[in-house]
């Protein structure tokens, strides 16, 4: 037995002596050296029974019982070195997961493996097409995982005859069909008695959930994130061993969602440990059958239509819970002392999410060991001094936003260095930001938006160097914008200081924020010029973004082989197209520079035109001067442009008409002059867009330009009018004479020729007939396409 995992041997080959260990049965080289550094003698080792090369590369061996090649970065096409394995006699466990191998690299040799193989994991590869029938020959298979690939079609009937199969993982694929057909295929043989684990989540199965009573051994049934609907009444009434039942994510429309309709006094035959019913219909009252489930570790009944107070018996379930989600319901009332209701000693702690309900009153002390606590969008009031009663907290995510909380911010963040997200926005907090917030060394999001906070920003915040989102907008902070924001917080993606009392110039140090996507300094008292170095905002120079959201995730182990995955999406209030809206799932797509409602002067730096990824540029309500640079047409991603209420002069650059995606434009109340450039884009806006520029002319304004005047010039005499009339009479007479001569020459020139020459006449009329049919066919095809489109 030899464990050499997590060694790279300083880049040297794996020691040669390993190949001489004739009695070696167990060897682990996981996270170790690559293939070409393994000793040659080792490649012919025949007695080895266990080899773990996870996160490494593999050597050529001839006989193994257990082989783990997970995450080995194997070649995606024809991994020829695997062909040298003689696995047909001894292999029992084979893990080839997470190598991104295509079907053509796996199937040809996989089905030559021993029929005695027991455990096979091919998950997280690029398997395509339907599930091959060759799996039916692996008659001894106990565990088969084909998760996280691109398999299509249904589940074959042969799985029903695999009598030894206990675990079948087909999640995260593109499998489809009626779920009742899936159950029918699996119920037709002996697997109905052996199957313990069935993972079908994240596929495209449809229809109702049929009766599952025949699966007497079933312990885990994961059906979440499909398109199941209908009603579940007593279809689970005979699944006495069931422990895990996630059904969430099956509701695409309110009228076609999965509904639980169980009698009030129904007593389940099982004791669940994992229950997830998010977005299923089960309200308006708390289901009483939950009272019998005293082994629950994970409970998610978010967005299920409950509009009730929490019954007392519900809190008796909580001692073993590691995850509780009651969010997006209409639950009302007060919370009990959560620190007494939850066991704070078990691994991973207890995560609680009750956001978007109607809870009220003071926030009680939370569990001492709670990595995730979301109480946002309720009616909690009072102070948050309870935060200081916890000596060693383990919070990763703490969201108390959108409540009625008041008082000062607690000054006890010294032991909160595990905190990733702190959101206290939209409350009534007052006073200053405490210095101890500078001890949040791992903080990624700090959101204090829309409170009553005041004072200068404490310099201790410069220690929060991992910050990605800093939103301090809508408060009463004052002083100059600190230079340390650009020097120490260079990982910022979002910086909002809007609607405060900051003064002075924009510090050039902000130009170090290369990852910034949203910079909002609007509604302050900022003076001076716009820094030219803003073109250093590298993230604003990309026209596309691969991630539509800004979020943070963490997996927390709560039991052996079991964990909770937490994902927190940052939400931000942005003023967009004249109104303030919340951005969450699409925040990562926003590229916004808002310097409006300040006292900035000077010209717009041409360097800003390098920010070709900008979607919104708002420089309105300042004292900016000079012409609008013609380079503004290079901002091809712009959807929103507001330059109103400044002192811009000169003409509107014609390049502005090239911004085909521009949805909002405001150039009003400047000193612009000349003709509005022609182009459907600029003429499609309302005239108010150009209001207050007295020397502008052209559509859509009523003020026409001189070269567009069509009425006679004033001051002309009668003699000139008489001469023009005579000219018009002469031209009119000539027109008629020419028309008559042209008609006779043209008519007899063509028709006379056709009458005298029969072959020409025949060809000409054939041509006309063909054109008629061609026009008719084109017309009929397009009409049919339009009819189909309207029907769809």
């Amino acid at each position: 037995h030899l464990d050499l995992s997590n060694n790279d041997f300083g880049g040297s080959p794996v020691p040669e002596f390993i190949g001489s260990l004739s009695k070696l049965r167990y060897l682990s080289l996981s996270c170790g050296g690559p293939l070409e550094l393994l000793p040659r003698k080792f490649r012919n080792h025949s007695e080895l029974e266990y080899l773990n090369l996870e996160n490494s590369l593999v050597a050529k061996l001839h006989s193994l019982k257990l082989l783990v090649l997970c995450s080995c970065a194997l070649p995606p096409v024809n991994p020829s070195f695997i062909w040298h394995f003689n696995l047909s006699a001894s292999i029992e466990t084979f893990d080839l997961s997470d190598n991104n191998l295509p079907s053509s690299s796996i199937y040809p040799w996989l089905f030559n493996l021993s029929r005695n193989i027991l455990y096979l994991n091919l998950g997280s590869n690029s398997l395509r097409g339907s599930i091959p029938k060759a799996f039916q020959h692996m008659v001894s298979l106990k565990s088969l995982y084909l998760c996280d690939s691109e398999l299509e079609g249904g589940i074959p009937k042969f799985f029903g005859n695999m009598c030894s199969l206990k675990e079948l993982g087909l999640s995260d694929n593109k499998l489809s069909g009626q779920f009742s057909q899936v159950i029918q295929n699996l119920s037709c043989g002996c697997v109905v008695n052996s199957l313990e684990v069935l993972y079908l989540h994240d596929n495209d199965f449809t229809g109702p959930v049929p009766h599952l009573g025949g699966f007497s051994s079933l312990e885990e049934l994961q059906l979440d994130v499909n398109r199941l609907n209908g009603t579940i009444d007593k279809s689970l009434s005979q699944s006495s061993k069931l422990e895990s039942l996630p059904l969430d994510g099956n509701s695409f429309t309110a009228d076609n969602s999965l509904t639980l309709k169980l009698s009030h006094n129904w007593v389940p035959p099982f004791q669940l440990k994992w229950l997830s019913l998010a977005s299923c219909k089960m309200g308006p009252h708390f289901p009483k059958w939950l009272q019998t489930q005293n082994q629950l570790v994970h409970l998610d009944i978010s967005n299920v239509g409950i509009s009730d107070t929490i019954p007392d018996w519900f809190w008796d379930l909580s001692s073993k819970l590691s995850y509780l989600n009651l969010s997006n319901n209409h639950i009302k009332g007060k919370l009990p002392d959560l620190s007494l209701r939850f066991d704070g000693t078990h691994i991973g702690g207890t995560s609680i999410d009750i956001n978007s309900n109607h809870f009220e009153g003071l926030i009680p002390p939370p569990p001492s060991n709670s990595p995730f606590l979301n109480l946002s969008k309720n009616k909690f009031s009072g102070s948050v001094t309870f935060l200081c009663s916890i000596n060693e907290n383990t919070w990763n995510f703490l969201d108390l936003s959108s409540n009625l909380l008041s008082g000062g911010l607690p000054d006890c963040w010294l032991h909160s260095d595990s905190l990733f997200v702190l959101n206290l926005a939209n409350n009534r907090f007052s006073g200053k930001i405490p210095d101890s917030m500078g001890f949040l060394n791992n903080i990624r999001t700090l959101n204090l938006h829309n409170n009553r906070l005041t004072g200068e920003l404490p310099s201790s915040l410069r220690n929060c160097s991992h910050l990605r989102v800093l939103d301090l907008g809508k408060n009463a902070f004052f002083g100059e914008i600190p230079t340390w924001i650009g020097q120490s917080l260079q990982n910022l993606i979002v910086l909002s200081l809007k609607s405060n009392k900051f003064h002075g110039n924009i510090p050039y140090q902000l130009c170090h924020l290369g990852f910034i996507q949203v910079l909002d300094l609007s509604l302050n008292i900022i003076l001076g010029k716009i820094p030219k170095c803003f073109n250093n905002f590298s993230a604003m120079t990309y026209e596309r973004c691969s991630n539509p959201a800004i979020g943070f995730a963490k997996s927390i182990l709560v039991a052996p082989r079991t964990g909770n995955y937490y994902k927190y999406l940052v939400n931000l209030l942005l003023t967009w197209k004249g109104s303030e809206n919340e951005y969450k799932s699409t925040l990562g797509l926003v590229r916004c520079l808002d310097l409006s409602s300040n006292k900035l002067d000077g010209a717009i730096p041409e360097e800003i035109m390098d920010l070709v990824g900008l979607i919104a540029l708002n420089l309105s309500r300042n004292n900016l001067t000079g012409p609008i640079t013609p380079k503004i047409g290079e901002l091809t991603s712009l959807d929103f442009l507001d330059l109103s209420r400044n002192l811009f002069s000169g003409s509107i650059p014609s390049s502005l008409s090239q911004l085909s995606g521009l949805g909002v434009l405001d150039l009003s109340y400047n000193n612009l002059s000349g003709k509005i450039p022609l182009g459907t884009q600029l003429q499609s806006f309302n005239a108010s867009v150009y209001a207050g520029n007295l020397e502008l002319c052209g559509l859509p304004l009523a003020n026409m330009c001189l070269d567009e005047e069509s009425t006679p010039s004033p001051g002309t005499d009668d003699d000139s009018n008489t001469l023009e009339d005579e000219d018009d009479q002469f031209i009119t007479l000539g027109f008629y004479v020419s028309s008559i001569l042209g008609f006779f020459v043209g008519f007899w020139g063509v028709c006379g020729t056709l009458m005298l020459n029969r072959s020409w006449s025949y060809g000409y009329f054939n041509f006309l007939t063909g054109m008629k049919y061609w026009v008719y066919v084109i017309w009929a095809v397009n009409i049919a396409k339009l009819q189909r489109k309207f029907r769809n």
Side-chain angles (χ1 to χ4, degrees), residues 402-421:
S402 300
N403 280 287
L404 305 173
L405 301 172
S406 58
L409 297 178
D411 192 6
C412 53
W413 303 101
L414 183 62
H415 302 292
S416 301
D417 55 352
S418 62
L419 200 59
F420 270 47
V421 173

Side-chain angles (χ1 to χ4, degrees), residues 212-248:
L212 301 174
F215 293 87
S216 57
S217 301
L218 196 60
E219 297 177 3
E220 297 185 42
L221 177 62
Q222 297 194 4
L223 303 176
D224 45 312
V225 195
N226 280 282
R227 289 195 293 153
L228 303 178
N229 55 28
T231 301
I232 296 179
D233 41 27
K234 295 183 179 180
S235 59
L236 305 173
S237 59
Q238 296 182 23
S239 303
S240 59
K241 295 185 178 180
L242 198 61
E243 295 182 356
S244 178
L245 183 62
L247 296 173
D248 53 293

Side-chain angles (χ1 to χ4, degrees), residues 411-708:
D411 192 6
C412 53
W413 303 101
L414 183 62
H415 302 292
S416 301
D417 55 352
S418 62
L419 200 59
F420 270 47
V421 173
L422 177 60
N423 191 347
L424 302 177
N426 302 311
N427 281 289
R428 301 173 182 175
F429 292 116
S430 57
K432 298 181 178 181
I433 296 178
D435 288 335
S436 63
M437 276 195 171
F439 289 97
L440 300 176
N441 297 321
N442 291 301
I443 193 78
R444 264 63 169 179
T445 292
L446 177 59
N447 193 340
L448 302 177
H449 179 89
N450 192 26
N451 280 284
R452 301 170 182 175
L453 300 169
T454 186
E456 297 186 353
L457 302 186
S459 59
S460 62
L461 288 180
R462 72 171 67 211
N463 299 323
C464 304
S465 57
H466 294 291
L467 267 174
R468 303 289 194 274
V469 177
L470 178 60
D471 188 351
L472 305 177
K474 284 196 172 182
N475 282 284
F477 296 116
F478 56 80
E480 295 187 351
I481 297 176
T483 59
W484 49 259
I485 291 181
Q487 293 170 333
S488 302
L489 308 183
Q490 295 186 16
N491 291 309
L492 280 175
I493 299 174
V494 174
L495 173 62
S496 177
L497 303 178
K498 68 176 292 185
S499 192
N500 280 284
K501 299 178 181 179
F502 290 108
H503 63 265
N505 296 332
I506 299 176
Y508 72 89
Q509 287 86 355
L510 290 187
C511 297
H512 297 308
L513 302 178
F515 298 106
I516 201 75
Q517 295 178 201
V518 176
L519 177 60
D520 192 345
L521 306 180
S522 62
L523 294 161
N524 281 285
I525 322 170
I526 302 173
L527 307 169
K529 294 177 170 54
I530 300 173
K532 295 183 178 180
C533 57
F534 271 10
N535 62 347
N536 290 334
F537 296 156
S538 301
M540 293 187 182
T541 63
Y542 304 137
E543 294 189 25
R544 296 183 179 181
C545 178
S546 58
N547 194 348
I550 299 174
F552 308 97
K554 188 169 184 179
S555 295
I556 300 175
L557 187 70
V558 297
R561 297 181 60 192
T562 304
N564 286 327
Y565 178 76
Y566 303 103
K567 186 175 182 180
Y568 184 91
L569 295 182
V570 176
N571 62 304
L572 194 69
L573 286 173
L574 294 177
T575 301
W576 191 271
K577 301 183 180 181
S579 60
E580 194 171 55
N581 299 296
E582 183 180 68
Y583 285 79
K584 190 172 184 178
S585 59
T586 58
L587 180 59
L589 301 176
V590 177
R591 304 285 190 279
C592 175
L593 178 59
D594 192 344
L595 307 178
S596 62
S597 301
N598 281 287
K599 296 185 178 181
L600 297 170
D601 56 36
I604 302 177
E606 290 199 357
E607 287 79 3
I608 285 185
M609 306 308 145
D610 294 337
L611 306 179
V612 295
L614 265 182
I615 294 177
L617 176 60
N618 192 348
L619 303 178
S620 64
R621 300 175 186 272
N622 280 287
N623 299 315
L624 298 173
T625 59
I628 300 174
T629 173
K631 289 187 175 181
I632 199 166
E634 298 176 6
L635 301 180
T636 54
S637 300
L638 271 184
D639 176 68
F640 178 98
L641 176 62
D642 191 348
L643 303 179
S644 64
R645 299 182 185 274
N646 279 283
L647 302 172
F648 292 118
S649 58
S651 61
I652 298 175
S654 59
S655 61
L656 199 60
S657 63
Q658 300 171 9
L659 301 180
S660 58
L662 199 60
V664 174
L665 174 67
D666 195 347
L667 302 177
S668 62
Y669 299 99
N670 281 284
N671 296 321
L672 299 173
S673 60
K675 184 178 180 179
I676 297 173
L678 292 176
T680 55
Q681 190 67 19
L682 297 184
Q683 272 67 46
S684 65
F685 293 110
N686 190 280
S688 61
V689 166
Y690 308 101
N693 295 282
L694 301 181
E695 297 185 22
L696 271 182
C697 62
L699 293 174
L701 295 176
N703 183 24
M704 305 302 291
C705 300
L706 291 177
D707 58 353
E708 296 175 330

Side-chain angles (χ1 to χ4, degrees), residues 689-763:
V689 166
Y690 308 101
N693 295 282
L694 301 181
E695 297 185 22
L696 271 182
C697 62
L699 293 174
L701 295 176
N703 183 24
M704 305 302 291
C705 300
L706 291 177
D707 58 353
E708 296 175 330
E709 297 287 352
S710 59
T711 56
S713 300
T716 56
D717 53 23
D718 293 340
D719 293 339
S720 62
N721 290 338
T722 303
L723 182 60
E724 289 176 2
D725 291 342
E726 291 176 357
D727 290 341
D728 289 344
Q729 183 180 5
F730 174 78
I731 293 172
T732 302
L733 179 61
F735 171 77
Y736 284 117
V737 171
S738 300
S739 298
I740 293 171
L741 289 174
F743 172 76
F744 279 103
V745 172
F747 179 80
W748 290 110
V750 174
C751 295
T753 304
L754 294 176
M755 292 172 63
L756 296 175
N757 192 318
R758 182 179 295 274
S759 62
W760 285 17
S761 175
Y762 181 77

Side-chain angles (χ1 to χ4, degrees), residues 150-166:
E150 299 181 42
L151 295 172
E152 300 176 350
I155 296 180
K157 288 184 178 180
F158 65 74
F159 280 127
N161 297 319
M162 299 180 70
C163 301
S164 300
L165 193 62
K166 292 185 177 182

